[in-house]
Amino acid sequence: MLLVLVLSSVAAGATQTATPKKWVSVFCGSVLVWEHSVKSDSAKLKNEINSLKQGGTVSLPAARSKLVGFLGRLVKTTNTMIGKVKAVGAPDVKNGSKIQKGVIDAFAQVATAFKQGQASARALPVSSKQAFSKAALKLSQTIQATANRVSAAFNALAKYSSKPLDDAANHAKDCLKLNG
C-alpha cells in the first residue's frame, strides 16, 4: 500500500499544474532572488578583486580562485531557481507545459554556461597578467553570448502568450519589481 501511495504521488507530481497566480508568483519570486544573488555575488567578486589589487600586485592564482568560486555560486543559485520553477509545476493555461519547459530550458542554458565558465576559469593561465586578462575577457564574452541566446529563447516564448499569466504578472509584486 505504501508503494502505491508513493508511486501515485510521484505520478501526480509529474503532471502537477499551478494556477497562473501561483506560477507567476513562484517564477517572478525565484527570478528576483536569482537576480539579487547574481548582483550581490558580482559586487562581492569585484570587492575581492579590488582588495587583491590594494597590495600593489594581484595574485593571479587568488584572482582565478575568486572567479571560480563566483561562477560556482552562480551555478548553484541558477539551479536552485530552476528547481523552484520545476517544483511548482506548469502553469494551468494553454501551452503551460511549453511555457514552463521554455523557461527551464533557458535557465538551464545559463547554468550550463556558468558551469562551463567555471571550468574555463579553473584553466585561466596565471603565468602573466596579459595572458590572464586575455583569457578572462574571452570567458566573459562567452558568458555574455549565452545571456543573449537566453534572451532570444524568452522572446520565442512570446508566441505562447497567455492573458491569465499576463494578468497575474501585472499584479504580482515580485514581477513588478523585475520590470521596475
Side-chain angles (χ1 to χ4, degrees):
M1 182 66 173
L2 181 60
L3 180 59
V4 171
L5 290 173
V6 170
L7 291 176
S8 66
S9 69
V10 168
T15 59
Q16 174 183 338
T17 60
T19 65
K21 182 178 179 181
K22 180 170 175 103
W23 191 87
V24 162
S25 176
V26 169
F27 172 73
C28 291
S30 298
V31 172
L32 194 63
V33 169
W34 175 82
E35 185 180 72
H36 174 74
S37 294
V38 169
K39 287 178 181 177
S40 173
D41 285 345
S42 295
K44 181 179 177 186
L45 176 65
K46 184 177 179 181
N47 288 339
E48 290 172 343
I49 298 297
N50 285 338
S51 71
L52 290 173
K53 288 180 184 178
Q54 289 177 354
T57 60
V58 175
S59 164
L60 295 179
R64 178 176 60 190
S65 176
K66 300 290 185 190
L67 185 58
V68 168
F70 165 72
L71 288 164
R73 289 187 300 275
L74 295 183
V75 169
K76 183 178 178 183
T77 299
T78 305
N79 285 335
T80 297
M81 189 209 49
I82 291 168
K84 288 179 181 180
V85 173
K86 279 183 180 178
V88 74
D92 190 13
V93 297
K94 183 179 179 184
N95 295 311
S97 61
K98 291 178 182 178
I99 292 168
Q100 179 160 5
K101 182 180 180 335
V103 166
I104 290 169
D105 288 352
F107 279 105
Q109 287 179 31
V110 172
T112 298
F114 289 154
K115 190 171 184 101
Q116 290 170 345
Q118 186 181 31
S120 295
R122 283 189 184 100
L124 285 172
V126 293
S127 56
S128 75
K129 286 182 183 180
Q130 293 80 13
F132 182 89
S133 294
K134 184 177 177 182
L137 179 61
K138 184 177 178 185
L139 171 60
S140 171
Q141 290 168 340
T142 301
I143 291 173
Q144 183 59 49
T146 299
N148 293 340
R149 285 196 314 269
V150 169
S151 293
F154 275 114
N155 290 338
L157 286 174
K159 68 183 174 190
Y160 302 123
S161 182
S162 163
K163 184 168 175 19
L165 286 178
D166 291 345
D167 290 346
N170 288 332
H171 293 96
K173 65 179 181 173
D174 286 343
C175 292
L176 297 173
K177 288 178 186 176
L178 285 171
N179 294 328

